[in-house]
Coordinates of all heavy atoms in Angstrom, one line a residue:
F270 N 91.3 147.3 110.8 CA 90.9 146.6 112.0 C 91.4 147.2 113.4 O 92.1 146.7 114.2 CB 91.7 145.2 111.9 CG 91.4 144.4 110.6 CD1 92.3 144.3 109.7 CD2 90.1 143.9 110.4 CE1 92.0 143.7 108.5 CE2 89.8 143.2 109.2 CZ 90.8 143.1 108.3
G271 N 90.9 148.4 113.4 CA 91.1 149.1 114.7 C 92.6 149.9 114.8 O 92.8 150.6 115.6
F272 N 93.4 149.7 113.8 CA 94.7 150.3 113.7 C 94.6 151.6 113.0 O 93.8 151.8 112.0 CB 95.6 149.5 112.9 CG 97.1 149.9 113.0 CD1 97.8 149.6 114.2 CD2 97.7 150.6 112.0 CE1 99.1 150.1 114.1 CE2 98.9 151.0 112.0 CZ 99.7 150.8 113.1
K273 N 95.1 152.7 113.6 CA 95.0 153.9 113.0 C 96.3 154.8 113.0 O 97.2 154.4 113.7 CB 93.9 154.8 113.6 CG 94.0 154.9 115.1 CD 92.8 155.5 115.7 CE 92.8 155.3 117.2 NZ 91.7 156.0 117.9
C274 N 96.5 155.7 112.1 CA 97.6 156.4 112.1 C 97.3 157.9 112.3 O 96.3 158.3 112.4 CB 98.4 156.3 110.7 SG 97.5 157.1 109.3
L275 N 98.4 158.8 112.6 CA 98.2 160.1 112.8 C 98.5 160.9 111.5 O 99.4 160.6 110.8 CB 99.2 160.6 113.8 CG 98.9 160.1 115.2 CD1 100.2 160.5 116.1 CD2 97.7 160.8 115.8
K276 N 97.6 161.8 111.1 CA 97.8 162.7 110.0 C 98.0 164.1 110.5 O 97.2 164.7 111.2 CB 96.6 162.8 109.1 CG 96.4 161.6 108.2 CD 95.2 161.6 107.2 CE 95.7 162.3 106.0 NZ 94.7 162.4 104.9
V277 N 99.3 164.4 110.5 CA 99.8 165.6 111.1 C 100.1 166.8 110.2 O 100.9 166.5 109.3 CB 100.9 165.5 112.1 CG1 101.2 166.6 112.9 CG2 100.7 164.2 113.0
V278 N 99.6 168.0 110.3 CA 100.1 169.2 109.6 C 101.0 169.9 110.5 O 100.7 170.4 111.4 CB 98.8 170.1 109.2 CG1 99.3 171.3 108.5 CG2 97.8 169.3 108.5
F279 N 102.3 170.0 110.0 CA 103.3 170.7 110.6 C 103.5 172.1 109.9 O 103.4 172.1 108.7 CB 104.6 170.0 110.6 CG 104.7 168.7 111.2 CD1 104.3 167.6 110.7 CD2 105.0 168.7 112.6 CE1 104.4 166.4 111.4 CE2 105.0 167.6 113.4 CZ 104.5 166.3 112.7
V280 N 103.7 173.2 110.7 CA 103.9 174.5 110.0 C 105.4 174.8 110.4 O 105.7 175.0 111.5 CB 103.0 175.6 110.5 CG1 103.1 176.8 109.9 CG2 101.5 175.1 110.3
L281 N 106.1 175.1 109.3 CA 107.6 175.3 109.4 C 108.0 176.6 108.6 O 107.2 177.0 107.7 CB 108.4 174.2 108.9 CG 108.1 172.7 109.3 CD1 108.8 171.6 108.4 CD2 108.4 172.6 110.7
D282 N 109.0 177.2 109.0 CA 109.7 178.2 108.1 C 110.2 177.6 106.8 O 110.6 176.5 106.9 CB 110.9 178.9 108.8 CG 110.4 179.8 110.0 OD1 109.2 180.2 110.0 OD2 111.1 180.0 111.0
D283 N 110.0 178.3 105.8 CA 110.5 177.7 104.4 C 112.0 177.4 104.4 O 112.4 176.6 103.6 CB 110.0 178.5 103.2 CG 110.7 179.8 103.3 OD1 111.4 180.2 104.2 OD2 110.5 180.7 102.3
K284 N 112.8 177.8 105.3 CA 114.2 177.6 105.3 C 114.4 176.3 106.0 O 115.5 175.7 105.7 CB 115.0 178.6 106.1 CG 115.1 179.9 105.3 CD 116.0 180.9 106.0 CE 116.1 182.1 105.1 NZ 117.1 183.0 105.8
E285 N 113.5 175.8 106.8 CA 113.7 174.4 107.6 C 113.6 173.4 106.6 O 112.7 173.4 105.8 CB 112.8 174.4 108.7 CG 112.9 175.4 109.8 CD 111.9 175.3 111.0 OE1 111.6 174.1 111.3 OE2 111.5 176.4 111.4
G286 N 114.4 172.4 106.8 CA 114.3 171.2 106.1 C 113.3 170.1 106.4 O 113.3 169.9 107.6
G287 N 112.4 169.6 105.5 CA 111.4 168.6 105.9 C 112.1 167.4 106.2 O 111.5 166.5 107.0
S288 N 113.2 167.0 105.6 CA 113.9 165.7 105.8 C 114.4 165.6 107.2 O 114.3 164.5 107.8 CB 115.0 165.5 104.8 OG 116.0 166.4 104.9
E289 N 114.8 166.8 107.9 CA 115.3 166.7 109.2 C 114.1 166.3 110.1 O 114.1 165.6 111.1 CB 115.9 168.0 109.6 CG 116.4 168.2 111.0 CD 117.0 169.6 111.2 OE1 117.8 170.1 110.5 OE2 116.7 170.0 112.3
L290 N 112.8 167.0 109.8 CA 111.7 166.7 110.5 C 111.3 165.3 110.5 O 111.0 164.5 111.5 CB 110.6 167.6 110.1 CG 109.1 167.2 110.8 CD1 109.3 167.5 112.3 CD2 108.2 168.2 110.2
E291 N 111.4 164.7 109.2 CA 111.1 163.3 109.1 C 112.0 162.4 110.0 O 111.5 161.5 110.6 CB 111.2 162.9 107.6 CG 110.3 163.3 106.8 CD 110.7 162.8 105.3 OE1 110.3 161.6 105.0 OE2 111.1 163.8 104.4
E292 N 113.3 162.7 109.9 CA 114.2 161.8 110.8 C 113.9 161.9 112.3 O 114.0 160.9 112.9 CB 115.7 162.3 110.5 CG 116.1 162.0 109.1 CD 115.9 160.4 108.7 OE1 116.3 159.6 109.6 OE2 115.4 160.1 107.7
K293 N 113.5 163.2 112.8 CA 113.2 163.3 114.1 C 112.0 162.5 114.5 O 111.9 161.9 115.5 CB 113.1 164.8 114.5 CG 114.4 165.6 114.5 CD 114.0 167.0 114.9 CE 115.3 167.8 115.0 NZ 115.0 169.2 115.2
L294 N 111.0 162.5 113.5 CA 109.8 161.8 113.9 C 110.0 160.2 114.1 O 109.4 159.6 114.7 CB 108.6 162.1 112.8 CG 108.0 163.6 112.9 CD1 107.2 163.8 111.6 CD2 107.3 163.8 114.1
K295 N 110.8 159.8 113.1 CA 111.2 158.3 113.0 C 111.8 157.8 114.2 O 111.8 156.7 114.6 CB 112.1 158.0 111.8 CG 111.4 158.1 110.5 CD 112.4 157.9 109.3 CE 111.6 158.1 108.0 NZ 112.6 157.9 106.9
Q296 N 112.5 158.9 115.0 CA 113.3 158.5 116.1 C 112.3 158.5 117.4 O 112.7 158.1 118.5 CB 114.5 159.5 116.5 CG 115.4 159.2 115.4 CD 116.6 160.3 115.5 OE1 116.6 161.1 116.4 NE2 117.5 160.3 114.6
I297 N 111.1 158.8 117.3 CA 110.1 158.8 118.4 C 109.9 157.2 118.8 O 109.5 156.7 117.8 CB 108.8 159.5 118.1 CG1 109.2 161.0 118.0 CG2 107.7 159.3 119.3 CD1 107.9 161.8 117.3
E298 N 109.9 157.0 120.0 CA 109.6 155.6 120.5 C 108.4 155.2 120.0 O 107.2 155.8 120.3 CB 109.8 155.5 122.1 CG 109.6 154.1 122.4 CD 109.8 154.0 124.0 OE1 110.2 155.0 124.7 OE2 109.4 152.9 124.4
G299 N 108.3 154.0 119.4 CA 106.9 153.5 118.9 C 106.6 153.8 117.6 O 105.6 153.2 117.1
V300 N 107.2 154.8 117.0 CA 107.0 155.0 115.5 C 107.6 154.0 114.5 O 108.7 153.7 114.7 CB 107.5 156.4 115.2 CG1 107.3 156.8 113.7 CG2 106.7 157.5 115.8
S301 N 106.7 153.6 113.6 CA 107.2 152.5 112.7 C 107.5 153.1 111.3 O 108.4 152.5 110.7 CB 106.2 151.3 112.6 OG 105.0 151.7 111.9
E302 N 106.7 154.0 111.0 CA 106.9 154.6 109.5 C 106.4 156.1 109.6 O 105.5 156.4 110.2 CB 106.0 153.8 108.6 CG 106.2 154.2 107.2 CD 105.5 153.3 106.2 OE1 105.1 152.1 106.6 OE2 105.4 153.7 105.1
V303 N 107.0 156.9 108.6 CA 106.6 158.2 108.4 C 106.5 158.4 106.9 O 107.4 158.1 106.2 CB 107.7 159.1 109.2 CG1 107.4 160.7 108.7 CG2 107.8 159.0 110.5
Q304 N 105.4 159.0 106.5 CA 105.3 159.4 105.1 C 104.8 160.8 104.9 O 103.8 161.2 105.5 CB 104.0 158.5 104.4 CG 104.3 157.0 104.4 CD 103.2 156.2 104.0 OE1 102.1 156.6 103.8 NE2 103.4 154.8 103.6
V305 N 105.5 161.4 104.0 CA 105.0 162.8 103.6 C 104.0 162.7 102.5 O 104.3 162.1 101.6 CB 106.3 163.6 103.1 CG1 105.8 165.0 102.6 CG2 107.4 163.8 104.3

């Protein structure tokens, strides 16, 4: 019904943790949910 989400491809070094990125994304104002 007109609602859409963003599908984002992030490119990271393999040493960086994906869970850290998830937590940062969840803290953006207006974000309700993040799914890998």
Side-chain angles (χ1 to χ4, degrees):
F270 305 107
F272 190 81
K273 48 190 172 178
C274 70
L275 295 167
K276 287 182 79 169
V277 188
V278 176
F279 295 93
V280 179
L281 310 166
D282 290 329
D283 62 357
K284 287 186 178 183
E285 294 179 37
S288 60
E289 183 179 312
L290 176 60
E291 284 181 76
E292 290 305 314
K293 287 180 180 180
L294 292 172
K295 289 177 184 177
Q296 293 174 5
I297 296 173
E298 182 178 348
V300 171
S301 69
E302 186 178 343
V303 175
Q304 294 178 349
V305 176

